């Protein structure tokens, strides 16, 4: 009884948040195409041009134009004081970035991959994330840590881990995960303008992918709100939550499911912390089924957190167990065949959605 | 950091030149060494093709050339160096990117330590008298008396807060006893524009800058008036007004932060520097090494002050490192360094004053190793007599007390008297007792402060938690402290 009352109250509060969903943008009028790389590069360029306090630092960001060419042309335009090639010491340049942010500059720190941020995690967690609180608001840390995160292809365990769940577990940090060019532009600009430390998790395999962008997205004033998910595809039968590259997989899965008469709703989380719990719960209350997708490890993952949120807030609405589609619980193997099996594939999502909709024999029965 | 494989074809193309060249270098290296001491690594730009340079070398075929290409060292200097290879006037040296390398037929390993210990700069002898021909910065009567008074204030504050902790009135305390000169003299040599990134044994810098005893007490008692809103353990002071960044408990993290802030000052073209403090133990952290290297490379105006007090909790320096202290390490990183008697306030003042000028005017980092002794326990959680002889502590407390030593010098100038001494000590003691009483009376920070400042704006989940907490407190008021306003 108490549970139902609570759900009603929550239902009302969730409705208030709904207008946020109307941020949904239509691609129909967009003719232009832009790669994620160009989106990130233009966002950096525009924010550096708009605010002299913004500067970029990391390994190979200057002369070499970035290990992935995200900083192409920036050294030439802004000079070596604002596009800073650093010695190869993650703990060093992360600490230096945090110190510059303490002072009042707005550093953008590039990790060649987020795996290497592990050498600097003390500065990210103990210094960047906690200083504003510990100093009672005297020291704000307006810094962005960005770089490729998660699995690339054929680069093994120490270059392929997803750190979304790690950083998202720490208060004081904001964690953003762009999927397409619109996300990359809007979220990176939001991250640089934000007064709090932001972890910006890109995906190497998406850098070269082109996505349609509207004129609005190309405008230099364009910015996306932090903490708002985006419904990439509306549907009524099952909710699929995903972030980064997995949003593409989820959309492909939704197309396949459509042929089988299953109308899937795909949520692009965009922000892992703050997590847009209301969009997720509103969707689940509509579809009554949930599949979470992520490349990271399953234990204590983003899917686990979403599952907990839905169980806490929308348990009575669920018509099927929540399914988590996640990376295998092993360090990433190098061999291509093993690697493919270690990361979620489109068909894994399709199968999970079918199970949730009772369109296939459950795993246990099949065994 | 490990190497990193790049997938993108684009990037592989960019790498090709480097990889190709390094393998070529290997092929040539033997012949280089065998035939000629002369080996040159010319630099080239990314755009200048490799082949023409090779041809150039071939023209001078009496010499074997090793080639190494790096985008980083494209410059006209490199071209000049390259030209001098061709002239070949000196075949005992190598113009390597970053500096000349001299060849030698002797196989000689560098010694693990210099033949003589690094000198320690001092101005006052153990009896507080000026050593003849000392090279020091003159201090005015006003500054000298303030320095001495602040050293006494620091010493007295430590005694009284330490007692307050023993009485259970505060949870934790760290004393600075034995290191008063480093604290006060370094602060006196700076200007109020300079930023301070402290460790935790430098409250004297705050005293010098005018942080009041009441403000110290408020922080230690974590009351509503504490600038940290009661969020940190005692002694983790911080004050934007005094350009003193909040103390970080994690050892050595403040050192790279200081370099980052110094780099920012340089970008802003400010006439100021950053000063950071750390102990001998802190120099074993990776952050110390990263910070020195980055400071050298970025030419940041930062002064590193290492309080080498002999002990990192119970670890003596002999177990901490095998180098000749800290100062020698600066040279390895290309940072000017000096070792100073940390118990000699006048030497400390002179060294920091000079270092500051060099840092600000020349945009360079400076490392100061202040040799001292931690007379107190590491903290109130420590009893140092368990791991070091009480006589050793006592000798440093009595025979080498930096406060007494400086007093003798101030007195010898006729700037101080025993009447002034009695009056000062009793006045500070009374102020401190009053400050503690006041701090205890002030209520604790309100409930809402539990949730603010995690982010710039309070996010919805924290607003929900706050609401829930308030509801719980109102339902069970007896279970919550009465001195927390809600």
């Amino acid at each position: 009884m108490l549970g139902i009352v609570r759900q009603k109250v929550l239902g009302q509060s969730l409705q208030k948040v709904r207008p946020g969903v109307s941020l949904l943008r239509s691609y129909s009028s967009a003719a232009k195409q832009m790669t994620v790389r160009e989106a990130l590069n233009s966002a950096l360029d525009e924010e550096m041009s708009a605010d002299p306090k913004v500067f970029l630092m990391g390994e190979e960001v200057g002369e070499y134009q970035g290990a992935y060419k995200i900083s192409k042309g920036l050294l030439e335009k802004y000079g070596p004081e604002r596009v800073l090639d650093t010695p190869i010491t993650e703990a060093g340049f992360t600490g230096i970035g945090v110190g510059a942010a303490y002072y009042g500059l707005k550093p953008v720190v590039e990790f060649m991959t987020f795996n290497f941020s592990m050498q600097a995690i003390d500065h990210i967690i103990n210094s960047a994330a906690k200083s504003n609180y510990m100093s009672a608001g005297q020291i704000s840390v307006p810094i962005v840590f960005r770089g490729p995160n998660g699995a690339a292809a054929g680069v093994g365990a120490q270059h392929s881990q997803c750190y979304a769940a790690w950083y998202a577990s720490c208060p004081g940090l904001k964690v953003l995960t762009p999927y397409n060019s619109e996300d990359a532009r809007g979220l990176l600009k939001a991250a640089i303008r934000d007064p709090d430390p932001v972890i910006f998790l890109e995906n190497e395999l998406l850098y070269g992918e082109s996505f349609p962008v509207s004129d609005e997205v190309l405008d230099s004033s364009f910015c996306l709100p932090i903490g708002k998910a985006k419904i990439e595809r509306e549907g009524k039968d099952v909710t699929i939550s995903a972030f980064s590259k997995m949003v593409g997989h989820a959309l492909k899965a939704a197309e396949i499911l459509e042929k089988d008469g299953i109308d899937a709703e795909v949520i692009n989380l965009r922000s892992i912390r703050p997590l847009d719990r209301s969009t997720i719960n509103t969707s689940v209350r509509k579809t009554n089924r949930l599949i979470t997708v992520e490349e990271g490890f399953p234990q204590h993952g983003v899917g686990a957190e979403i599952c907990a949120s839905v169980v806490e807030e929308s348990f009575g609405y669920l018509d099927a167990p929540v399914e988590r589609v996640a990376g295998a619980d092993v360090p990433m193997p190098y061999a291509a065949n093993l690697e493919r099996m270690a990361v979620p594939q489109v068909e894994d999502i399709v199968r999970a959605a079918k199970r949730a909709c009772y369109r296939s024999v459950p795993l246990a029965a099949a065994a | 950091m490990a190497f990193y494989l790049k997938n993108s074809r684009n990037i592989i193309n960019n790498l090709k030149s480097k990889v190709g060249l390094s393998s070529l270098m290997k092929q040539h290296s033997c012949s280089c060494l065998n035939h000629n001491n002369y080996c040159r690594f010319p630099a080239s730009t990314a755009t200048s093709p490799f082949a023409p340079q090779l041809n150039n070398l071939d023209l001078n075929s009496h010499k074997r050339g090793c080639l190494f290409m790096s985008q980083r060292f494209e410059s006209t200097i490199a071209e000049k160096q390259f030209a001098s290879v061709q002239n070949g006037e000196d075949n005992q040296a190598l113009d390597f990117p970053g500096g000349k390398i001299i060849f030698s037929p002797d196989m000689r390993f560098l010694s693990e330590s210099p033949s003589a210990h690094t000198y320690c700069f001092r101005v006052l002898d153990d009896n507080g008298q000026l050593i003849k021909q000392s090279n020091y910065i003159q201090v005015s009567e006003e500054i000298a008396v303030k320095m001495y008074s602040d050293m006494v204030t620091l010493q007295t504050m430590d005694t009284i807060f330490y007692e307050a902790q023993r009485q259970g009135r505060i949870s934790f305390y760290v004393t600075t006893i034995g290191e008063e000169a480093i604290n006060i003299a370094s602060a006196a040599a700076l200007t109020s524009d300079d930023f301070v990134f402290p460790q935790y044994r430098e409250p004297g810098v705050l005293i010098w800058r005018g942080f009041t005893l009441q403000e110290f007490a408020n922080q230690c008692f974590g009351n509503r008036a504490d600038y940290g809103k009661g969020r940190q353990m005692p002694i983790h002071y911080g004050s934007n007004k005094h350009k003193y960044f909040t103390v970080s408990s994690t050892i050595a993290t403040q050192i790279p932060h200081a370099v980052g802030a110094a780099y920012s000052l340089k970008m802003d073209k400010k006439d100021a520097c950053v000063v950071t403090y750390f102990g001998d133990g802190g120099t074993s952290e990776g952050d110390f090494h990263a910070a020195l290297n980055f400071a050298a490379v970025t030419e940041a105006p930062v002064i590193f002050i290492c309080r080498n007090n002999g002990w990192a909790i119970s670890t003596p320096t002999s177990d901490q490192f095998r180098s000749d202290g800290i100062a020698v390490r600066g040279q390895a990183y290309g940072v000017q360094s000096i070792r100073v008697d940390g118990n000699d306030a006048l030497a400390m003042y002179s060294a920091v004053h000079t270092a500051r000028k060099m840092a600000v005017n020349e945009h360079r980092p400076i490392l100061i190793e202040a040799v001292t002794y931690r007379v107190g326990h590491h903290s109130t959680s420590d009893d140092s007599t368990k791991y070091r002889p009480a006589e050793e502590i006592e000798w440093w407390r009595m025979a080498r007390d930096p406060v007494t030593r400086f007093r003798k010098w101030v007195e010898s100038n006729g700037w101080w008297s025993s009447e002034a001494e009695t009056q000062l000590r009793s006045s500070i003691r009374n102020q401190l007792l009053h400050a503690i009483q006041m701090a205890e009376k002030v209520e604790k920070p309100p409930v809402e402060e539990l949730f603010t400042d995690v982010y710039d704006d309070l996010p919805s989940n924290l607003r929900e938690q706050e609401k829930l907490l308030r509801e719980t407190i109102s339902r069970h008021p007896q279970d919550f402290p009465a001195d927390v306003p809600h």
Side-chain angles (χ1 to χ4, degrees):
Chain A
M1 181 64 199
L2 190 68
I4 293 167
V5 172
R6 196 167 154 240
Q7 281 168 6
K8 273 188 182 163
V9 173
L10 261 170
Q12 284 165 354
S13 71
L14 285 177
Q15 273 176 351
K16 284 183 205 153
V17 191
R18 257 184 206 160
V21 177
S22 66
L23 280 168
L24 180 72
R25 289 169 210 288
S26 162
Y27 287 143
S28 57
S29 64
K32 294 194 187 81
Q33 293 276 324
M34 184 182 233
T35 63
V36 170
R37 177 180 286 113
E38 288 161 353
L40 294 168
N41 180 268
S42 62
L44 274 170
D45 189 359
E46 286 164 20
E47 293 308 303
M48 288 182 78
S49 161
D51 186 349
K53 284 184 182 303
V54 179
F55 74 101
L56 178 67
M57 67 191 302
E59 294 157 8
E60 312 290 340
V61 297
E63 295 277 358
Y64 199 71
Q65 317 271 316
Y68 296 100
K69 306 298 167 208
I70 303 300
S71 53
K72 194 174 179 184
L74 298 181
L75 173 67
E76 199 183 348
K77 197 164 175 185
Y78 298 103
E81 283 225 318
R82 290 182 68 195
V83 181
L84 203 64
D85 274 325
T86 68
I88 310 175
T89 321
E90 274 70 14
F93 66 74
T94 307
I96 269 87
V98 170
Y102 282 1
Y103 172 83
L105 298 187
K106 294 180 170 178
V108 178
V109 171
E110 174 175 308
F111 292 117
M112 204 177 273
T113 142
F114 260 92
N115 293 267
F116 303 164
S117 76
M118 291 296 99
Q119 297 200 327
I121 199 161
D122 173 60
H123 286 287
I124 301 176
I125 304 293
N126 275 320
S127 299
K130 298 176 184 172
S131 282
N132 195 49
Y133 190 77
M134 293 196 314
S135 70
Q138 290 188 90
I139 306 172
S140 77
V141 193
I143 190 168
V144 177
F145 302 103
R146 51 155 290 275
N149 168 68
V155 290
Q158 291 173 327
H159 295 110
S160 303
Q161 190 172 338
C162 173
Y163 289 93
W166 282 53
Y167 288 115
S169 72
C170 182
L173 293 177
K174 291 174 177 173
V175 181
L176 304 182
T177 51
Y179 159 57
N180 56 20
S181 303
E182 173 182 326
D183 291 1
R185 257 181 76 74
L187 292 176
L188 184 53
K189 284 154 98 46
I192 295 172
R193 293 176 198 180
D194 198 88
D196 298 311
V198 178
I199 304 285
F200 193 84
L201 303 171
E202 298 157 11
N203 186 295
E204 187 197 324
L205 298 177
L206 290 174
Y207 283 149
E209 273 199 41
S210 285
F211 292 93
V213 281
S214 67
D215 288 340
E216 188 196 351
V217 171
L218 292 172
D219 193 278
S220 65
S221 67
F222 178 67
C223 192
L224 285 170
I226 291 175
K228 283 273 163 250
K230 179 188 174 190
I231 308 232
E232 291 282 350
R233 183 190 198 276
E234 286 199 69
K236 58 178 175 22
D237 294 332
V238 58
T239 298
I240 306 175
S241 77
F243 60 94
S244 190
K245 186 165 179 285
M246 289 298 112
V247 177
H249 278 29
L251 288 169
K252 281 186 194 128
E255 278 171 32
I256 295 167
L257 289 165
E258 193 174 16
K259 288 175 192 148
D260 287 330
I262 295 174
D263 186 12
E265 177 148 304
V266 176
I267 299 179
N268 170 5
L269 293 172
R270 279 184 167 169
S271 169
I272 308 299
R273 177 183 266 270
L275 186 64
D276 189 353
R277 292 165 203 271
S278 66
T279 295
I280 297 164
N281 279 281
T282 305
S283 176
V284 169
R285 287 170 186 214
K286 179 173 74 175
T287 64
N288 312 109
R289 289 168 171 85
L290 173 65
I291 310 296
T292 71
V293 189
E294 70 188 299
E295 278 186 326
F297 303 129
Q299 187 167 337
H300 306 111
V302 175
E305 180 61 31
I306 291 173
C307 182
S309 170
V310 166
V311 167
E312 283 166 356
E313 296 181 25
S314 309
F315 183 70
Y317 290 85
L318 286 173
D319 285 346
V322 177
E323 290 229 24
R324 284 184 288 162
V325 179
D329 204 14
V330 295
M332 183 68 72
Y334 168 73
N337 59 331
L338 297 178
E339 185 187 69
R340 189 182 186 284
M341 288 194 281
V343 288
Q345 304 295 331
V346 174
E347 49 268 38
D348 296 321
I349 305 170
V350 171
R351 277 196 294 272
K354 284 187 177 171
R355 284 196 297 273
C357 295
Y358 302 108
R359 296 293 193 83
S360 65
V361 187
L363 276 180
Chain B
M1 175 44 49
F3 69 96
Y4 188 57
L5 295 169
K6 281 114 183 165
N7 282 341
S8 145
R9 183 174 289 176
N10 188 14
I11 288 158
I12 286 176
N13 281 338
N14 276 301
L15 276 175
K16 266 181 189 162
S17 55
K18 286 186 178 175
V19 175
L21 283 166
S22 55
S23 61
L24 188 116
M25 198 171 83
K26 273 182 206 154
Q27 286 169 9
H28 278 271
S29 57
C30 270
S31 53
C32 264
L33 294 170
N34 288 342
H35 292 277
N36 203 312
N37 283 336
Y38 203 107
C39 174
R40 180 81 55 157
F41 294 171
S44 78
T45 64
T47 48
S48 62
F50 168 62
Q53 290 182 349
L54 194 61
N55 290 340
N56 283 345
L57 280 174
D58 285 345
L59 289 175
N60 299 277
S61 54
H62 60 286
K63 293 189 190 92
R64 294 273 185 161
C66 288
L67 211 54
F68 180 76
M69 185 192 266
S70 162
Q71 286 177 299
R72 284 285 179 77
F73 299 102
E74 55 174 288
S75 69
T76 51
I77 299 168
E79 278 166 27
K80 279 176 203 156
Q81 288 174 346
F82 181 64
S84 77
V85 182
Q86 294 171 314
N87 295 333
E89 284 158 4
D90 174 8
N91 66 354
Q92 296 302 313
L94 164 66
D95 273 331
F96 194 73
K100 186 167 271 195
I101 288 173
I102 312 292
F103 290 120
S104 161
D106 287 344
M107 183 171 71
R108 201 165 40 193
F109 292 87
L110 284 176
S111 164
E112 74 280 11
S113 60
S115 48
H117 283 286
T118 311
Y119 286 121
C120 186
F121 169 61
R122 75 190 301 199
V123 176
L124 298 179
D125 66 17
D126 285 349
N127 208 26
Q129 298 311 302
L130 269 180
I131 295 164
K132 275 178 193 162
Q133 293 170 328
S134 294
N135 182 10
Y136 74 104
I137 307 285
Q138 189 58 53
V139 180
S140 70
E141 177 180 351
E142 186 193 359
I143 297 290
V145 170
K146 179 168 161 54
M147 278 170 69
Y148 178 69
S149 306
D150 284 358
M151 282 163 78
V152 171
T153 305
L154 179 55
Q155 210 174 42
T156 316
M157 180 172 89
D158 275 348
T159 312
I160 293 190
F161 281 173
Y162 185 81
E163 282 167 14
Q165 194 279 337
R166 295 285 114 155
Q167 291 164 2
R169 294 160 87 173
I170 55 177
S171 65
F172 177 84
Y173 194 71
V174 161
T175 67
T176 309
I177 297 166
E179 301 175 41
E180 294 90 346
I182 297 173
N183 269 249
I184 302 296
S186 63
L190 302 172
T191 76
S192 56
D193 293 332
D194 299 331
F195 288 81
V196 176
F197 282 74
Q199 186 165 311
Y200 44 67
R201 221 180 290 282
E202 301 87 13
V205 179
L206 272 177
I207 292 181
W208 178 268
R209 292 190 168 194
F211 201 72
T212 65
L213 295 178
Q214 189 62 60
E215 287 171 315
F216 280 108
N218 290 340
Q219 198 285 331
C220 288
F221 283 83
N223 65 26
R224 193 169 190 161
D226 166 26
Y227 301 133
K229 298 180 182 172
R231 287 183 186 144
Q232 290 230 66
M233 291 167 75
I235 68 103
H236 288 60
Y237 314 109
S239 167
N240 271 6
K241 193 177 126 197
H242 299 94
K243 295 196 168 62
Y244 189 94
F245 283 79
T246 305
V247 170
S248 162
S249 307
T250 38
I251 295 298
T253 52
Q254 75 280 9
I255 316 177
H257 298 164
V259 179
Y263 184 73
S264 312
L265 279 174
K266 194 174 99 170
M267 271 177 84
D268 275 3
K269 301 186 169 45
K270 291 274 169 62
D271 185 24
C273 68
V274 176
V275 182
T276 183
Y277 298 83
F278 46 91
D280 42 279
T283 65
S284 296
E285 292 279 5
D287 273 339
F288 165 79
H289 300 272
L292 251 72
N293 188 43
F294 272 74
V297 170
T298 57
E299 293 166 358
V302 54
I303 305 174
F304 302 102
I305 300 181
C306 175
R307 297 174 291 92
N308 182 357
N309 65 17
W311 295 92
I313 308 188
S314 72
T315 308
T317 47
S318 55
D319 286 347
Q320 193 70 246
F321 47 71
R322 289 293 160 92
S323 57
D324 176 30
I326 313 299
V328 289
R329 300 194 202 170
Q331 194 170 38
Y333 289 107
V335 173
Q336 287 206 23
S337 314
I338 187 171
R339 175 181 274 180
V340 183
D341 183 347
N343 288 20
D344 175 350
L346 214 48
M348 207 51 212
Y349 178 89
S350 303
V352 176
H353 192 275
T354 310
R356 186 191 181 276
K357 267 195 181 157
M358 289 157 74
V360 174
N361 298 342
E362 300 165 26
H363 279 151
R364 60 161 72 243
I366 309 283
L367 171 64
I368 296 176
E369 176 187 6
V371 181
T372 184
Y373 188 82
R374 193 193 78 211
V375 170
H377 305 302
H378 164 71
S379 73
T380 48
S381 314
D382 173 41
D383 174 6
S384 63
T385 58
K386 298 273 188 240
Y387 52 78
R388 55 182 190 177
E391 304 79 54
E392 176 183 303
I393 305 173
E394 218 34 46
W395 182 75
W396 280 88
R397 183 196 299 279
M398 300 311 290
R400 291 200 40 86
D401 174 28
V403 184
T404 311
R405 192 156 148 201
F406 191 58
R407 179 186 165 181
K408 286 178 180 163
W409 180 73
V410 178
E411 274 182 342
S412 69
N413 283 309
W415 297 338
W416 197 249
S417 63
S418 18
E419 296 80 54
E421 178 79 14
T422 319
Q423 205 263 329
L424 174 70
R425 287 199 183 263
S426 112
S427 154
I428 289 166
R429 197 179 165 79
N430 289 337
Q431 286 176 49
L432 276 160
L433 295 175
H434 178 73
I436 286 179
Q437 281 171 3
M438 293 299 289
E440 273 177 328
K441 280 185 201 152
V442 178
E443 61 189 3
K444 297 298 178 198
V447 160
E448 65 185 67
E449 300 293 10
L450 180 59
F451 302 99
T452 56
D453 304 319
V454 179
Y455 295 99
D456 192 57
D457 264 344
L458 203 60
S460 59
N461 68 319
L462 290 184
R463 271 198 293 272
E464 280 166 32
Q465 283 184 30
E466 185 182 344
K467 188 164 160 269
L468 199 66
L469 177 61
R470 285 180 191 283
E471 285 166 8
T472 313
I473 294 173
S474 62
R475 273 202 306 277
H476 309 284
Q478 71 284 359
D479 294 336
F480 290 87
D483 59 349
V484 178
H486 47 84

